[in-house]
Amino acid sequence: MEISFYGAAEGVTGSQHLVKVNGKQILLDCGLYQGQRDESFMRNRTLPYDASKVDVMVLSHAHIDHSGNLPNLVASGYHGPIYATSATRDLCNIMLRDSARIMREDTEYLNSERRKSGQPLLTPTYSMADTMQALSLFHSLEYQTAFEIAPGVRLTFYDAGHILGSAVVLLEVDEENRHTRLLYSGDLGRNGMLLLRDPVIVPNIDYLILESTYGARKHPPIEQAEAQLGEIVRETIKRRGKVIIPSFSVGRTQELVYALHRLNVAGRIPKVPIYVDSPMAFSATEVFRLHPESFDKDTYDFMTKHQDPFSFDNLHYVRRAKESAKLTRDQKAKVVISASGMAEFGRILQHLARNIGDKRNTVLFVGYQAEDTLGTRIKAGDRMVPILGSNYRVRAQVCVIDAFSAHADQTDLVNYVRGANGHLRQIFLVHGELEGIRGLKTALGEAGFEQVTIPKLGETVRLVAEQS
Ligand SMILES: [Zn+2]
């Protein structure tokens, strides 16, 4: 058996790892690389392997940096099954179609530049038709149900506790007379996250491919998130201000809505109107409603009493652009959750432009902000920021809640490795910037795990398991 690391090696995006075993090729994830526009276009367009020779595709979860290049895989000749949980399939149904739309708009932008300099025009990496074709190849498998995906290879999904439908991927491989357990973490969540069950630790692993996003960090306790949110809403409403929250439409927005619902029924926040201004968040919430099988016990208990975690009296979903424009103009005290999560594009920009100059308001960050984004500039305390082509003075309060993170931190990751151990022969650290990967390698070394490899992009490693 061998593994080639074709993405998210010494980086966080574009996850794709190709396993060759028993004469078959199994692809783990097929994510989009997300970086500078030109570089991203080229890297995503050309797959580093022959898609027509891949036999089986296994998808850990729906985030675009894990699933977003599936339509290109299919357009490049892949026609086998795509195994995922049913919640992942349903989220991909909206997220991949949205990705095809963004792909088309990005290509139009690049072409407008190319036209000026007389360069040949580009076509989008994939089309909506490719996306529909990819969606037709999905086969859903529920958690903890082993299924033979290739001769001598059994796949089992376990809860990863990261986003709805997310899975840790176990491959049990019988090769000649050897039995090997290979575990791919996908993205690993945290214990105690709202809505989702905790990540399942899978024991007795031989080889582990482990994410290391926060391998060098320790998160504040998750229990703080809801209390902090309540306090920020209370304080802002007392000033008759608005709480403006840039939020990812899938996952974080539903967590926020559920947290606000819980605060509401507990009487810990005033009953002001709460708006979710994002058509994508509306669609994603529909998918959440369809998959209560993915929820934890707290959420079940809440549902028994209050039915739907994602709707309550003073909560409004805004879908149409006209209603969104009206909401932007309304100056009453309220909470507005809108996308994009890093304030790079979308309706959140209108809300920020209107409200960032008023000291009664609060801009609240609840998610990761990449470098060079508007979100990072506001979060860093810049007093003047460009929004939609004009400069705005920041007078609103700027607050940050880090405790909502959906990724395991260093302590969680080391504990996960301890639990997966039995006869761990090698750990491959992927999906992290160098700081995270190196921090995790050091922490694992201190915990007694020396067999840690940091694969380079495109590197192939041959696994030689002990005979059992
Ligand atoms: Zn993810």
Side-chain angles (χ1 to χ4, degrees):
M1 178 164 48
E2 62 180 45
I3 312 176
S4 302
F5 298 89
Y6 286 126
E10 297 185 320
V12 287
T13 64
S15 283
Q16 47 192 336
H17 314 295
L18 189 64
V19 178
K20 290 187 184 164
V21 60
N22 294 342
K24 299 288 177 189
Q25 299 196 20
I26 301 167
L27 182 65
L28 304 176
D29 286 350
C30 190
L32 275 186
Y33 173 78
Q34 294 158 312
Q36 296 292 333
R37 213 186 299 234
D38 277 303
E39 192 198 353
S40 302
F41 188 91
M42 296 309 166
R43 272 181 71 164
N44 290 323
R45 153 81 39 123
T46 316
L47 294 170
Y49 44 83
D50 184 346
S52 67
K53 298 221 164 84
V54 176
D55 299 283
V56 182
M57 199 284 148
V58 179
L59 178 61
S60 68
H61 68 291
H63 277 149
I64 286 299
D65 62 327
H66 292 256
S67 72
N69 220 5
L70 280 171
N72 186 23
L73 182 77
V74 172
S76 307
Y78 179 71
H79 45 73
I82 297 170
Y83 291 107
T85 64
S86 56
T88 294
R89 180 203 60 202
D90 291 349
L91 282 178
C92 281
N93 182 35
I94 52 173
M95 292 171 79
L96 291 181
R97 286 191 290 129
D98 192 56
S99 176
R101 181 186 58 77
I102 294 168
M103 196 76 71
R104 191 185 60 224
E105 289 171 5
D106 273 0
T107 312
E108 279 165 15
Y109 174 84
L110 287 171
N111 281 342
S112 69
E113 300 288 305
R114 287 177 157 247
R115 226 172 256 120
K116 285 181 215 155
S117 52
Q119 288 175 276
L121 298 186
L122 305 166
T123 50
T125 302
Y126 54 78
S127 66
M128 198 60 85
D130 299 327
T131 305
M132 299 311 288
Q133 181 62 25
L135 289 168
S136 74
L137 297 178
F138 273 71
H139 288 245
S140 47
L141 275 185
E142 289 322 304
Y143 292 115
Q144 314 219 9
T145 309
F147 187 77
E148 184 161 15
I149 54 167
V153 184
R154 294 200 316 160
L155 160 70
T156 312
F157 287 133
Y158 293 90
D159 265 293
H162 168 66
I163 60 159
L164 191 83
S166 64
V168 172
V169 175
L170 173 68
L171 296 183
E172 292 174 281
V173 176
D174 288 306
E175 197 183 12
E176 294 162 8
N177 51 357
R178 291 194 299 267
H179 182 76
T180 310
R181 284 161 68 83
L182 166 68
L183 192 71
Y184 169 48
S185 72
D187 284 356
L188 213 52
R190 305 172 68 191
N191 290 341
M193 268 175 63
L194 285 176
L195 296 169
L196 302 179
R197 286 190 295 268
D198 293 346
V200 171
I201 294 178
V202 186
N204 298 322
I205 296 305
D206 300 294
Y207 294 95
L208 174 62
I209 306 172
L210 181 65
E211 71 121 320
S212 20
T213 318
Y214 288 116
R217 289 257 309 268
K218 295 197 178 162
H219 295 317
I222 210 155
E223 300 74 32
Q224 285 179 6
E226 198 172 282
Q228 280 179 289
L229 177 66
E231 194 181 320
I232 290 164
V233 172
R234 277 197 309 276
E235 290 299 315
T236 310
I237 301 303
K238 216 191 275 174
R239 303 193 291 268
R240 312 183 77 76
K242 299 186 200 175
V243 184
I244 307 290
I245 313 179
S247 173
F248 297 100
S249 305
V250 181
R252 189 56 40 87
T253 292
Q254 289 74 27
E255 274 180 87
L256 282 170
V257 166
Y258 177 45
L260 289 164
H261 193 173
R262 284 158 53 108
L263 290 164
N264 223 339
V265 295
R268 289 165 67 195
I269 52 171
K271 285 220 158 130
V272 288
I274 296 169
Y275 294 90
V276 175
D277 186 8
S278 155
M280 179 77 169
F282 177 84
S283 307
T285 305
E286 289 296 297
V287 176
F288 272 69
R289 285 198 182 101
L290 285 171
H291 290 283
E293 80 280 2
S294 299
F295 297 159
D296 64 8
K297 185 171 179 307
D298 279 359
T299 313
Y300 280 127
D301 292 347
F302 187 89
M303 286 171 77
T304 326
K305 281 192 205 140
H306 308 285
Q307 298 201 351
D308 184 351
F310 312 110
S311 65
F312 49 98
D313 280 354
N314 46 324
L315 174 72
H316 313 276
Y317 290 90
V318 179
R319 297 171 73 189
R320 293 167 57 196
K322 221 166 145 185
E323 286 169 51
S324 173
K326 200 169 138 200
L327 174 67
T328 316
R329 290 192 298 271
D330 179 29
Q331 285 307 307
K332 288 194 208 78
K334 59 172 75 63
V335 177
V336 179
I337 302 166
S338 187
S340 74
M342 294 194 256
E344 277 293 88
F345 51 86
R347 294 179 180 180
I348 189 67
L349 294 177
Q350 302 286 351
H351 292 290
L352 288 172
R354 275 271 177 173
N355 297 297
I356 206 161
D358 186 334
K359 66 179 191 316
R360 292 174 302 173
N361 299 332
T362 300
V363 179
L364 171 60
F365 291 99
V366 289
Y368 175 73
Q369 307 296 313
E371 277 173 39
D372 302 324
T373 56
L374 175 62
T376 290
R377 295 186 63 166
I378 300 172
K379 199 174 153 180
D382 283 13
R383 298 319 294 166
M384 194 67 104
V385 289
I387 307 172
L388 296 166
S390 303
N391 281 322
Y392 289 83
R393 187 167 293 284
V394 181
R395 290 196 185 86
Q397 309 279 322
V398 176
C399 296
V400 178
I401 304 180
D402 279 331
F404 273 111
S405 177
H407 280 277
D409 69 2
Q410 188 184 73
T411 312
D412 300 327
L413 290 165
V414 172
N415 284 340
Y416 198 87
V417 172
R418 281 201 183 97
N421 191 23
H423 31 79
L424 256 177
R425 295 172 62 82
Q426 212 166 354
I427 304 165
F428 302 99
L429 297 186
V430 297
H431 202 286
E433 301 294 354
L434 272 181
E435 187 203 350
I437 295 180
R438 287 188 183 142
L440 184 56
K441 186 173 179 180
T442 306
L444 285 170
E446 283 163 7
F449 297 99
E450 300 292 346
Q451 61 285 45
V452 178
T453 303
I454 302 175
K456 297 241 174 282
L457 190 65
E459 187 176 338
T460 297
V461 179
R462 216 179 138 63
L463 312 185
V464 187
E466 280 173 282
Q467 298 215 335
S468 56

